[in-house]
PDB file of all heavy atoms in Angstrom:
ATOM      1  N   HIS A 227      22.278  -0.012 -27.096  1.00 77.00           N
ATOM      2  CA  HIS A 227      23.359  -0.760 -27.737  1.00 77.00           C
ATOM      3  C   HIS A 227      24.334  -1.362 -26.727  1.00 77.00           C
ATOM      4  O   HIS A 227      25.177  -2.177 -27.107  1.00 77.00           O
ATOM      5  CB  HIS A 227      24.144   0.152 -28.680  1.00 77.00           C
ATOM      6  CG  HIS A 227      23.384   0.524 -29.918  1.00 77.00           C
ATOM      7  ND1 HIS A 227      23.929   1.297 -30.921  1.00 77.00           N
ATOM      8  CD2 HIS A 227      22.114   0.238 -30.313  1.00 77.00           C
ATOM      9  CE1 HIS A 227      23.036   1.470 -31.882  1.00 77.00           C
ATOM     10  NE2 HIS A 227      21.929   0.831 -31.532  1.00 77.00           N
ATOM     11  N   LEU A 228      24.240  -0.954 -25.467  1.00 77.00           N
ATOM     12  CA  LEU A 228      25.206  -1.401 -24.465  1.00 77.00           C
ATOM     13  C   LEU A 228      25.002  -2.871 -24.103  1.00 77.00           C
ATOM     14  O   LEU A 228      23.868  -3.334 -23.933  1.00 77.00           O
ATOM     15  CB  LEU A 228      25.081  -0.551 -23.197  1.00 77.00           C
ATOM     16  CG  LEU A 228      25.437   0.934 -23.337  1.00 77.00           C
ATOM     17  CD1 LEU A 228      25.184   1.660 -22.023  1.00 77.00           C
ATOM     18  CD2 LEU A 228      26.884   1.113 -23.777  1.00 77.00           C
ATOM     19  N   ASP A 229      26.112  -3.576 -23.967  1.00 63.00           N
ATOM     20  CA  ASP A 229      26.111  -4.959 -23.487  1.00 63.00           C
ATOM     21  C   ASP A 229      25.224  -5.886 -24.314  1.00 63.00           C
ATOM     22  O   ASP A 229      24.660  -6.855 -23.801  1.00 63.00           O
ATOM     23  CB  ASP A 229      25.682  -5.017 -22.011  1.00 63.00           C
ATOM     24  CG  ASP A 229      26.693  -4.349 -21.099  1.00 63.00           C
ATOM     25  OD1 ASP A 229      27.821  -4.093 -21.549  1.00 63.00           O
ATOM     26  OD2 ASP A 229      26.351  -4.083 -19.939  1.00 63.00           O
ATOM     27  N   ARG A 230      25.107  -5.619 -25.610  1.00 66.00           N
ATOM     28  CA  ARG A 230      24.336  -6.541 -26.457  1.00 66.00           C
ATOM     29  C   ARG A 230      25.115  -7.820 -26.719  1.00 66.00           C
ATOM     30  O   ARG A 230      24.546  -8.857 -27.035  1.00 66.00           O
ATOM     31  CB  ARG A 230      23.972  -5.856 -27.773  1.00 66.00           C
ATOM     32  CG  ARG A 230      22.977  -4.724 -27.621  1.00 66.00           C
ATOM     33  CD  ARG A 230      22.429  -4.262 -28.946  1.00 66.00           C
ATOM     34  NE  ARG A 230      23.480  -3.748 -29.820  1.00 66.00           N
ATOM     35  CZ  ARG A 230      23.247  -3.175 -30.997  1.00 66.00           C
ATOM     36  NH1 ARG A 230      21.998  -3.061 -31.434  1.00 66.00           N
ATOM     37  NH2 ARG A 230      24.241  -2.727 -31.738  1.00 66.00           N
ATOM     38  N   SER A 231      26.442  -7.715 -26.587  1.00 56.00           N
ATOM     39  CA  SER A 231      27.298  -8.880 -26.779  1.00 56.00           C
ATOM     40  C   SER A 231      28.319  -8.929 -25.653  1.00 56.00           C
ATOM     41  O   SER A 231      28.810  -7.898 -25.196  1.00 56.00           O
ATOM     42  CB  SER A 231      28.019  -8.810 -28.132  1.00 56.00           C
ATOM     43  OG  SER A 231      29.071  -9.753 -28.194  1.00 56.00           O
ATOM     44  N   ALA A 232      28.630 -10.142 -25.198  1.00 55.00           N
ATOM     45  CA  ALA A 232      29.623 -10.295 -24.135  1.00 55.00           C
ATOM     46  C   ALA A 232      31.042 -10.159 -24.666  1.00 55.00           C
ATOM     47  O   ALA A 232      31.986  -9.981 -23.904  1.00 55.00           O
ATOM     48  CB  ALA A 232      29.455 -11.654 -23.453  1.00 55.00           C
ATOM     49  N   GLU A 233      31.198 -10.241 -25.985  1.00 57.00           N
ATOM     50  CA  GLU A 233      32.533 -10.218 -26.589  1.00 57.00           C
ATOM     51  C   GLU A 233      32.874  -8.902 -27.292  1.00 57.00           C
ATOM     52  O   GLU A 233      34.043  -8.569 -27.463  1.00 57.00           O
ATOM     53  CB  GLU A 233      32.682 -11.351 -27.625  1.00 57.00           C
ATOM     54  CG  GLU A 233      32.723 -12.747 -27.022  1.00 57.00           C
ATOM     55  CD  GLU A 233      31.344 -13.270 -26.651  1.00 57.00           C
ATOM     56  OE1 GLU A 233      30.370 -12.864 -27.321  1.00 57.00           O
ATOM     57  OE2 GLU A 233      31.242 -14.041 -25.680  1.00 57.00           O
ATOM     58  N   GLU A 234      31.861  -8.134 -27.707  1.00 60.00           N
ATOM     59  CA  GLU A 234      32.123  -6.943 -28.503  1.00 60.00           C
ATOM     60  C   GLU A 234      31.533  -5.703 -27.840  1.00 60.00           C
ATOM     61  O   GLU A 234      30.452  -5.740 -27.272  1.00 60.00           O
ATOM     62  CB  GLU A 234      31.531  -7.102 -29.907  1.00 60.00           C
ATOM     63  CG  GLU A 234      32.135  -8.256 -30.706  1.00 60.00           C
ATOM     64  CD  GLU A 234      31.535  -8.369 -32.080  1.00 60.00           C
ATOM     65  OE1 GLU A 234      30.683  -7.530 -32.431  1.00 60.00           O
ATOM     66  OE2 GLU A 234      31.906  -9.298 -32.814  1.00 60.00           O
ATOM     67  N   PRO A 235      32.272  -4.562 -27.918  1.00 59.00           N
ATOM     68  CA  PRO A 235      31.743  -3.314 -27.380  1.00 59.00           C
ATOM     69  C   PRO A 235      30.543  -2.853 -28.214  1.00 59.00           C
ATOM     70  O   PRO A 235      30.335  -3.366 -29.318  1.00 59.00           O
ATOM     71  CB  PRO A 235      32.933  -2.357 -27.509  1.00 59.00           C
ATOM     72  CG  PRO A 235      33.764  -2.920 -28.610  1.00 59.00           C
ATOM     73  CD  PRO A 235      33.588  -4.413 -28.533  1.00 59.00           C
ATOM     74  N   PRO A 236      29.756  -1.921 -27.684  1.00 66.00           N
ATOM     75  CA  PRO A 236      30.020  -1.114 -26.487  1.00 66.00           C
ATOM     76  C   PRO A 236      29.619  -1.801 -25.186  1.00 66.00           C
ATOM     77  O   PRO A 236      28.580  -2.464 -25.128  1.00 66.00           O
ATOM     78  CB  PRO A 236      29.159   0.132 -26.717  1.00 66.00           C
ATOM     79  CG  PRO A 236      28.009  -0.355 -27.535  1.00 66.00           C
ATOM     80  CD  PRO A 236      28.573  -1.420 -28.433  1.00 66.00           C
ATOM     81  N   PHE A 237      30.453  -1.622 -24.159  1.00 72.00           N
ATOM     82  CA  PHE A 237      30.171  -2.167 -22.844  1.00 72.00           C
ATOM     83  C   PHE A 237      29.789  -1.036 -21.892  1.00 72.00           C
ATOM     84  O   PHE A 237      30.365   0.052 -21.934  1.00 72.00           O
ATOM     85  CB  PHE A 237      31.397  -2.903 -22.291  1.00 72.00           C
ATOM     86  CG  PHE A 237      31.862  -4.031 -23.164  1.00 72.00           C
ATOM     87  CD1 PHE A 237      33.174  -4.083 -23.610  1.00 72.00           C
ATOM     88  CD2 PHE A 237      30.983  -5.033 -23.548  1.00 72.00           C
ATOM     89  CE1 PHE A 237      33.611  -5.127 -24.419  1.00 72.00           C
ATOM     90  CE2 PHE A 237      31.406  -6.080 -24.356  1.00 72.00           C
ATOM     91  CZ  PHE A 237      32.720  -6.130 -24.796  1.00 72.00           C
ATOM     92  N   LYS A 238      28.859  -1.350 -21.032  1.00 77.00           N
ATOM     93  CA  LYS A 238      28.334  -0.335 -20.118  1.00 77.00           C
ATOM     94  C   LYS A 238      29.421   0.277 -19.258  1.00 77.00           C
ATOM     95  O   LYS A 238      29.446   1.493 -19.022  1.00 77.00           O
ATOM     96  CB  LYS A 238      27.237  -0.961 -19.245  1.00 77.00           C
ATOM     97  CG  LYS A 238      26.570   0.005 -18.297  1.00 77.00           C
ATOM     98  CD  LYS A 238      25.286  -0.582 -17.723  1.00 77.00           C
ATOM     99  CE  LYS A 238      25.538  -1.812 -16.888  1.00 77.00           C
ATOM    100  NZ  LYS A 238      24.300  -2.287 -16.234  1.00 77.00           N
ATOM    101  N   GLN A 239      30.356  -0.552 -18.793  1.00 81.00           N
ATOM    102  CA  GLN A 239      31.378  -0.049 -17.873  1.00 81.00           C
ATOM    103  C   GLN A 239      32.378   0.881 -18.550  1.00 81.00           C
ATOM    104  O   GLN A 239      33.099   1.621 -17.879  1.00 81.00           O
ATOM    105  CB  GLN A 239      32.124  -1.206 -17.197  1.00 81.00           C
ATOM    106  CG  GLN A 239      33.004  -2.025 -18.118  1.00 81.00           C
ATOM    107  CD  GLN A 239      32.287  -3.208 -18.729  1.00 81.00           C
ATOM    108  OE1 GLN A 239      31.051  -3.224 -18.793  1.00 81.00           O
ATOM    109  NE2 GLN A 239      33.039  -4.208 -19.158  1.00 81.00           N
ATOM    110  N   ASP A 240      32.428   0.855 -19.891  1.00 87.00           N
ATOM    111  CA  ASP A 240      33.389   1.688 -20.607  1.00 87.00           C
ATOM    112  C   ASP A 240      32.802   3.010 -21.094  1.00 87.00           C
ATOM    113  O   ASP A 240      33.545   3.904 -21.509  1.00 87.00           O
ATOM    114  CB  ASP A 240      33.943   0.930 -21.813  1.00 87.00           C
ATOM    115  CG  ASP A 240      34.723  -0.317 -21.410  1.00 87.00           C
ATOM    116  OD1 ASP A 240      35.327  -0.299 -20.323  1.00 87.00           O
ATOM    117  OD2 ASP A 240      34.712  -1.300 -22.173  1.00 87.00           O
ATOM    118  N   ALA A 241      31.500   3.132 -21.073  1.00 91.00           N
ATOM    119  CA  ALA A 241      30.853   4.329 -21.613  1.00 91.00           C
ATOM    120  C   ALA A 241      31.104   5.539 -20.721  1.00 91.00           C
ATOM    121  O   ALA A 241      30.991   5.454 -19.501  1.00 91.00           O
ATOM    122  CB  ALA A 241      29.355   4.091 -21.761  1.00 91.00           C
ATOM    123  N   CYS A 242      31.428   6.663 -21.340  1.00 94.00           N
ATOM    124  CA  CYS A 242      31.596   7.919 -20.603  1.00 94.00           C
ATOM    125  C   CYS A 242      30.313   8.743 -20.597  1.00 94.00           C
ATOM    126  O   CYS A 242      30.072   9.518 -19.672  1.00 94.00           O
ATOM    127  CB  CYS A 242      32.728   8.747 -21.207  1.00 94.00           C
ATOM    128  SG  CYS A 242      34.362   8.232 -20.643  1.00 94.00           S
ATOM    129  N   LEU A 243      29.507   8.592 -21.636  1.00 95.00           N
ATOM    130  CA  LEU A 243      28.220   9.278 -21.699  1.00 95.00           C
ATOM    131  C   LEU A 243      27.209   8.316 -22.282  1.00 95.00           C
ATOM    132  O   LEU A 243      27.379   7.844 -23.410  1.00 95.00           O
ATOM    133  CB  LEU A 243      28.320  10.551 -22.544  1.00 95.00           C
ATOM    134  CG  LEU A 243      27.083  11.452 -22.574  1.00 95.00           C
ATOM    135  CD1 LEU A 243      27.483  12.919 -22.765  1.00 95.00           C
ATOM    136  CD2 LEU A 243      26.090  11.042 -23.664  1.00 95.00           C
ATOM    137  N   VAL A 244      26.189   7.998 -21.504  1.00 93.00           N
ATOM    138  CA  VAL A 244      25.134   7.089 -21.953  1.00 93.00           C
ATOM    139  C   VAL A 244      23.947   7.923 -22.406  1.00 93.00           C
ATOM    140  O   VAL A 244      23.505   8.835 -21.706  1.00 93.00           O
ATOM    141  CB  VAL A 244      24.714   6.120 -20.834  1.00 93.00           C
ATOM    142  CG1 VAL A 244      23.610   5.191 -21.327  1.00 93.00           C
ATOM    143  CG2 VAL A 244      25.919   5.310 -20.358  1.00 93.00           C
ATOM    144  N   HIS A 245      23.420   7.604 -23.578  1.00 94.00           N
ATOM    145  CA  HIS A 245      22.379   8.399 -24.211  1.00 94.00           C
ATOM    146  C   HIS A 245      21.155   7.523 -24.491  1.00 94.00           C
ATOM    147  O   HIS A 245      21.242   6.571 -25.260  1.00 94.00           O
ATOM    148  CB  HIS A 245      22.919   8.980 -25.516  1.00 94.00           C
ATOM    149  CG  HIS A 245      22.024   9.962 -26.183  1.00 94.00           C
ATOM    150  ND1 HIS A 245      22.315  10.521 -27.413  1.00 94.00           N
ATOM    151  CD2 HIS A 245      20.843  10.516 -25.804  1.00 94.00           C
ATOM    152  CE1 HIS A 245      21.361  11.358 -27.765  1.00 94.00           C
ATOM    153  NE2 HIS A 245      20.451  11.360 -26.815  1.00 94.00           N
ATOM    154  N   TRP A 246      20.041   7.853 -23.850  1.00 91.00           N
ATOM    155  CA  TRP A 246      18.789   7.135 -24.072  1.00 91.00           C
ATOM    156  C   TRP A 246      18.040   7.802 -25.222  1.00 91.00           C
ATOM    157  O   TRP A 246      16.957   8.370 -25.035  1.00 91.00           O
ATOM    158  CB  TRP A 246      17.937   7.122 -22.809  1.00 91.00           C
ATOM    159  CG  TRP A 246      18.393   6.177 -21.747  1.00 91.00           C
ATOM    160  CD1 TRP A 246      17.925   4.918 -21.509  1.00 91.00           C
ATOM    161  CD2 TRP A 246      19.400   6.412 -20.730  1.00 91.00           C
ATOM    162  NE1 TRP A 246      18.571   4.351 -20.429  1.00 91.00           N
ATOM    163  CE2 TRP A 246      19.481   5.241 -19.933  1.00 91.00           C
ATOM    164  CE3 TRP A 246      20.237   7.482 -20.424  1.00 91.00           C
ATOM    165  CZ2 TRP A 246      20.352   5.133 -18.856  1.00 91.00           C
ATOM    166  CZ3 TRP A 246      21.116   7.378 -19.359  1.00 91.00           C
ATOM    167  CH2 TRP A 246      21.169   6.205 -18.586  1.00 91.00           C
ATOM    168  N   SER A 247      18.612   7.755 -26.412  1.00 86.00           N
ATOM    169  CA  SER A 247      17.957   8.360 -27.570  1.00 86.00           C
ATOM    170  C   SER A 247      16.740   7.525 -27.954  1.00 86.00           C
ATOM    171  O   SER A 247      16.665   6.337 -27.665  1.00 86.00           O
ATOM    172  CB  SER A 247      18.933   8.461 -28.748  1.00 86.00           C
ATOM    173  OG  SER A 247      19.448   7.186 -29.070  1.00 86.00           O
ATOM    174  N   GLY A 248      15.797   8.164 -28.593  1.00 75.00           N
ATOM    175  CA  GLY A 248      14.569   7.448 -28.934  1.00 75.00           C
ATOM    176  C   GLY A 248      13.450   7.783 -27.970  1.00 75.00           C
ATOM    177  O   GLY A 248      13.548   8.685 -27.142  1.00 75.00           O
TER     178      GLY A 248
END
Side-chain angles (χ1 to χ4, degrees):
H227 289 183
L228 295 177
D229 294 346
R230 292 192 299 186
S231 166
E233 290 79 29
E234 298 180 2
F237 301 125
K238 183 166 63 174
Q239 68 269 21
D240 297 329
C242 278
L243 186 150
V244 180
H245 188 184
W246 284 263
S247 57

